[in-house]
Amino acid sequence: MDILIYSTLTNFIYFCSGYIVLSKKKLSIENCFYIFFIGFISLSFTGLFFNFFIELSPLFNSIIYIIIIFLFIIKVKFKFKFNKRVILFLIISSISTFLLIIYSNVNRPDAGLYHLPYISLLNENKIILGINTIHSRFAHTSILQYLSALNNNYLFTNNGISIPLASIVSFFYIYFFNDVLRVIKKKDYITYAKIFSLLIIIYVSYKINRYSGFGNDAIAHLSFFYLISYFLKSNLKNINLNKLTIISVFIFINKPMLGLVFIIPLFIFFFNKHYQIKKLLLIIFSFPTLFLLLWFLKNILISGCMIYPLKITCIKNLPWTNTIEIANDSLQGSAWSKAWPDRIDKNISMYEYNKNFNWVKSWSKVHLKYILKIIIPFVLILFLITFYFRLKISDIKISNDKSFKIKINFLLAFCLLGLISFFLIFPIYRYGYSYLITFFCLLTIYFNRNKITSKDNMIIFKLVFIICIFIISVKQIIKIPKNYLKKSDWPNIYRLGPQNKIYDKYIINDFFHYFHASNGDYLCMYSPSPCTSYKLSQRIYVKKKYNYIFISLEN
C-alpha cells in the first residue's frame, strides 16, 4: 500500500511543479500529460542545478517538495478546483506506477553498475570534479538519476528513488492510450498522428512493459515517440519550436545516442524562418538551451568531456581529463557494441575489428539475430494491419496535403539517417530502437495513406486498444501472486547477487574515501558512495579547493 501512496504523492508533486510553470494551459488530458511532463523536467533541472552546490540529501529534497506545494498553493490563490481530468490522470498514472513497481526488479546489470551508485553519490555529495576517474560509467548517467535522487526524502526514504522511472513511463502510457481512446469515443477523427499512436501502443504493450527492462533507455525512446507524435499532430507553420526543443533536450540528456533528434527543431527553425535576430536570441536564452548547457558543464566537470567518450568534445588540459582512458573507452564501447566478445577472428586487434566493417559477420550472428527476433513479430503485426487496410478499406480521396507530405518525407529521411548512424556507431538494439520502430510505423502510414482516415478503421482501434490494455495489465498483475511471500514489495536496490556484499573501503585522505564492490557480482547497487565496480590500476590524487573535491590520476 505504501507504494501506491508514495506513487500518488510523487505524481502530485510533478503536477504541482508543472502547473506552476504552465498554469495557463487548459486541462485536457493531453495538456495534463504536458503539465506532468514539464513537472518532472523542471524538477530534473532543479536537482541538476543544486547539485553543483549541495548534495541532494533527504533534508534538502524534503524542503524542495514543501516549497513546490507552497508555491502551487500561492499560484492558485487557494481557489484551485481539481478538474476531473486531472484527478483521472492522477488516479490512472498512480495505479499504473504502483503496478509497474510492485514486486519488480531493477534493471540488470546497469542499475547496480552505475544507475544506483550514481543516485547514492548525488544523495551524499555535491558534484565531485573528476569523479569519472574512479568509475568511468558515471559519465554515462542520465538526467533520470537526478530526478530519482530528488525523490529520496524523509517521507519516502530510499524507496522513493524507484518511483520516478515508473511514473514517467505511466505518463507516456496514458498519453498514447488516450490518443487511441479519443478516436474510439469519437471525440477525435482518425488521423495519421492517431494511427501512429495506435502503432506505438502495440509496440509498448509488446516490449516496454517491464520495470526491470526500462533502465535509462525506455524514457528516452518513449520521449522520442512523443516528439514524433507531437510533430505529426502540429501544423508546421504554427508548431511550438520551444516545445520541440524542450522534448529534444530531454531525449538527448537521457540518451546521447539519440542526439540526431535536434535535427527536428532545427528543421522547423529554418522552415518557419526563425533566424531573425529577435527570434534567434529568444532561442539562445531559452530554458532548453540553459538546461543543455548546464548538462554539458556537469559532464565536463565530472569527466572532462561534454559527451563522454566522444574525444572531440573533451577538454584535454583539465587535470581530471584522462585522454588515454577516454580513447580506450571509446574504442572498447564501439567494439563491444559490435559483438567483440563473439568475434570470429580471435587474433584481430580491437582497433582493426572496428575498421572496414570487419565486425559485421560477428555482429550479425549475435546482435542482428536479437534485433530480428524482436522486430519481426512487430513488423508482422504491421503487415497484418496493412493487409486489413488493403482487403477491407476502400481508398479515400484525400486533398493534396502538402504539410503531410513534407512531414512524412522529412521524418522518414530523418529516421533513415538515425538508423544509419545507429548501425555504424553503436548497433545495440536498446541504443536506437526508437529510430527503427518509428521508421516502420511511418512506412505503414505512408503506404496506407489513402485508407487510414476511413471510419471503417474504427474496428482496428477498438481491437488494438482492448488487446494492448489487457497485455500490459496482465503483465503487471501476474507477478503479484507469484511474489506475494517476498519480504518486500519494493524493487531491491541493495543487492542482486550475494546476500552479504563486501565493499572494500579505500581512504585517500581525511576528506575523501571511496568503496569498491569486491565480491560476487561486483555491483555497487545503492551503497555508500562513491562506489566503483572496478579496481583502479593507478593511484588517484585528491585535493580540496573552494570546498570542492577534485580527483585525478597521479602522474
Side-chain angles (χ1 to χ4, degrees):
M1 186 58 69
D2 55 342
I3 296 179
L4 181 59
I5 294 170
Y6 297 165
S7 296
T8 304
L9 291 173
T10 298
N11 293 347
F12 177 67
I13 289 292
Y14 293 159
F15 172 77
C16 292
S17 180
Y19 189 84
I20 291 168
V21 179
L22 299 171
S23 57
K24 293 182 181 180
K25 281 279 183 186
K26 293 181 180 179
L27 294 174
S28 65
I29 287 290
E30 188 165 326
N31 284 339
C32 275
F33 167 81
Y34 190 60
I35 289 171
F36 279 87
F37 185 77
I38 292 299
F40 60 72
I41 284 181
S42 59
L43 275 171
S44 301
F45 177 84
T46 300
L48 175 65
F49 176 80
F50 279 104
N51 190 241
F52 282 91
F53 312 104
I54 191 172
E55 66 272 16
L56 304 182
S57 66
L59 173 61
F60 174 79
N61 299 339
S62 300
I63 292 171
I64 288 293
Y65 278 16
I66 290 170
I67 290 173
I68 288 172
I69 293 174
F70 180 75
L71 289 176
F72 173 74
I73 293 171
I74 296 296
K75 186 83 175 181
V76 301
K77 299 177 181 178
F78 299 91
K79 297 179 181 179
F80 182 79
K81 293 183 179 179
F82 272 101
N83 185 292
K84 64 180 181 180
R85 294 187 181 92
V86 177
I87 296 174
L88 183 63
F89 194 103
L90 190 60
I91 291 172
I92 295 173
S93 65
S94 299
I95 293 173
S96 177
T97 302
F98 163 75
L99 290 174
L100 284 169
I101 292 174
I102 190 168
Y103 296 124
S104 293
N105 294 314
V106 295
N107 182 260
R108 300 170 183 242
D110 287 356
L113 187 61
Y114 65 100
H115 298 170
L116 292 169
Y118 194 73
I119 294 171
S120 177
L121 180 73
L122 296 175
N123 286 150
E124 296 181 5
N125 302 272
K126 67 180 176 183
I127 192 168
I128 299 176
L129 283 69
I131 190 62
N132 187 63
T133 303
I134 70 164
H135 198 334
S136 63
R137 292 296 187 107
F138 284 163
H140 295 282
T141 51
S142 79
I143 193 62
L144 180 63
Q145 272 70 67
Y146 287 82
L147 190 63
S148 297
L150 206 60
N151 215 45
N152 178 2
N153 54 53
Y154 284 142
L155 178 61
F156 304 162
T157 66
N158 293 346
N159 286 327
I161 68 175
S162 299
I163 297 174
L165 175 60
S167 290
I168 299 171
V169 171
S170 71
F171 297 159
F172 283 113
Y173 283 173
I174 294 173
Y175 173 82
F176 288 110
F177 275 98
N178 178 67
D179 244 13
V180 175
L181 185 61
R182 287 187 65 82
V183 172
I184 295 172
K185 287 185 171 183
K186 298 181 180 180
K187 292 184 177 181
D188 287 337
Y189 294 110
I190 298 175
T191 64
Y192 303 113
K194 298 296 183 181
I195 288 288
F196 179 76
S197 292
L198 181 79
L199 302 181
I200 290 301
I201 69 169
I202 293 172
Y203 182 77
V204 165
S205 62
Y206 162 57
K207 200 61 187 171
I208 311 180
N209 54 42
R210 289 186 308 110
Y211 181 85
S212 61
F214 294 161
N216 288 338
D217 305 309
I219 301 302
H221 294 302
L222 286 168
S223 300
F224 185 94
F225 296 145
Y226 170 54
L227 178 69
I228 301 299
S229 171
Y230 175 66
F231 188 85
L232 286 171
K233 287 179 180 179
S234 302
N235 184 308
L236 287 177
K237 289 293 183 181
N238 301 320
I239 194 166
N240 189 326
L241 180 59
N242 192 57
K243 186 173 178 178
L244 276 179
T245 310
I246 287 173
I247 302 169
S248 299
V249 168
F250 186 73
I251 293 168
F252 175 76
I253 60 182
N254 274 290
K255 202 74 182 172
M257 184 63 210
L258 299 177
L260 289 177
V261 73
F262 289 113
I263 291 175
I264 295 178
L266 192 64
F267 168 77
I268 293 299
F269 175 80
F270 287 106
F271 184 83
N272 288 334
K273 299 178 182 179
H274 285 299
Y275 36 77
Q276 299 97 327
I277 293 178
K278 184 178 179 180
K279 290 183 177 179
L280 190 61
L281 289 174
L282 287 174
I283 294 170
I284 293 172
F285 294 101
S286 66
F287 171 75
T289 304
L290 175 62
F291 202 172
L292 186 61
L293 291 176
L294 200 65
W295 183 257
F296 283 149
L297 176 60
K298 182 272 299 182
N299 288 345
I300 290 170
L301 291 180
I302 69 172
S303 70
C305 305
M306 284 194 297
I307 306 172
Y308 188 92
L310 191 59
K311 288 184 285 186
I312 195 172
T313 70
C314 302
I315 302 174
K316 296 180 180 179
N317 58 353
L318 291 175
W320 55 86
T321 303
N322 187 341
T323 53
I324 297 174
E325 185 71 19
I326 290 167
N328 286 338
D329 279 359
S330 179
L331 181 65
Q332 291 176 17
S334 179
W336 277 74
S337 70
K338 295 168 181 172
W340 166 256
D342 303 286
R343 63 194 180 280
I344 298 169
D345 182 1
K346 298 297 182 181
N347 296 317
I348 193 172
S349 70
M350 194 175 282
Y351 177 76
E352 287 297 323
Y353 180 76
N354 283 337
K355 287 177 61 178
N356 301 323
F357 297 100
N358 292 325
W359 50 273
V360 173
K361 284 186 178 180
S362 303
W363 175 84
S364 300
K365 291 183 177 181
V366 182
H367 293 303
L368 180 58
K369 282 186 177 180
Y370 179 77
I371 292 172
L372 292 176
K373 182 180 177 181
I374 293 175
I375 205 68
I376 286 176
F378 180 67
V379 172
L380 285 175
I381 294 172
L382 298 185
F383 177 78
L384 289 174
I385 292 174
T386 299
F387 181 74
Y388 173 82
F389 285 155
R390 297 290 175 180
L391 188 65
K392 295 289 186 179
I393 308 299
S394 301
D395 283 355
I396 295 176
K397 289 184 179 180
I398 55 175
S399 60
N400 187 20
D401 189 348
K402 291 183 179 179
S403 177
F404 170 73
K405 289 181 179 178
I406 292 171
K407 284 190 283 189
I408 199 76
N409 289 330
F410 165 72
L411 288 176
L412 282 170
F414 163 70
C415 288
L416 189 59
L417 178 62
L419 285 174
I420 292 170
S421 68
F422 158 66
F423 176 75
L424 294 177
I425 303 172
F426 291 108
I428 295 179
Y429 181 75
R430 66 185 180 89
Y431 283 4
Y433 68 75
S434 51
Y435 291 130
L436 191 61
I437 298 304
T438 301
F439 183 73
F440 281 117
C441 290
L442 293 174
L443 275 182
T444 302
I445 293 171
Y446 181 80
F447 286 126
N448 298 287
R449 60 191 180 278
N450 294 327
K451 300 174 182 290
I452 275 176
T453 57
S454 171
K455 292 180 181 179
D456 294 332
N457 288 327
M458 187 67 73
I459 185 65
I460 292 290
F461 275 79
K462 291 178 179 178
L463 187 63
V464 168
F465 183 86
I466 293 170
I467 292 173
C468 290
I469 284 286
F470 176 77
I471 290 173
I472 289 181
S473 300
V474 168
K475 279 276 189 179
Q476 310 314 317
I477 293 171
I478 58 174
K479 66 188 176 184
I480 296 177
K482 285 183 178 180
N483 299 284
Y484 186 72
L485 297 178
K486 279 189 174 181
K487 291 182 179 179
S488 175
D489 46 5
W490 288 92
N492 192 341
I493 61 175
Y494 298 105
R495 64 182 63 84
L496 286 180
Q499 292 300 306
N500 297 310
K501 281 185 174 292
I502 297 175
Y503 300 100
D504 293 331
K505 185 176 182 179
Y506 292 86
I507 299 175
I508 306 302
N509 49 39
D510 58 352
F511 56 80
F512 183 80
H513 61 264
Y514 71 93
F515 298 89
H516 172 232
S518 56
N519 79 321
D521 52 23
Y522 297 97
L523 298 177
C524 289
M525 302 295 287
Y526 191 80
S527 60
S529 73
C531 180
T532 179
S533 295
Y534 308 111
K535 195 164 186 176
L536 302 184
S537 57
Q538 291 179 252
R539 291 176 60 85
I540 60 172
Y541 172 70
V542 182
K543 68 175 181 178
K544 196 171 188 179
K545 191 173 183 180
Y546 305 118
N547 209 30
Y548 282 91
I549 294 174
F550 297 73
I551 306 175
S552 61
L553 292 175
E554 284 192 345
N555 296 325

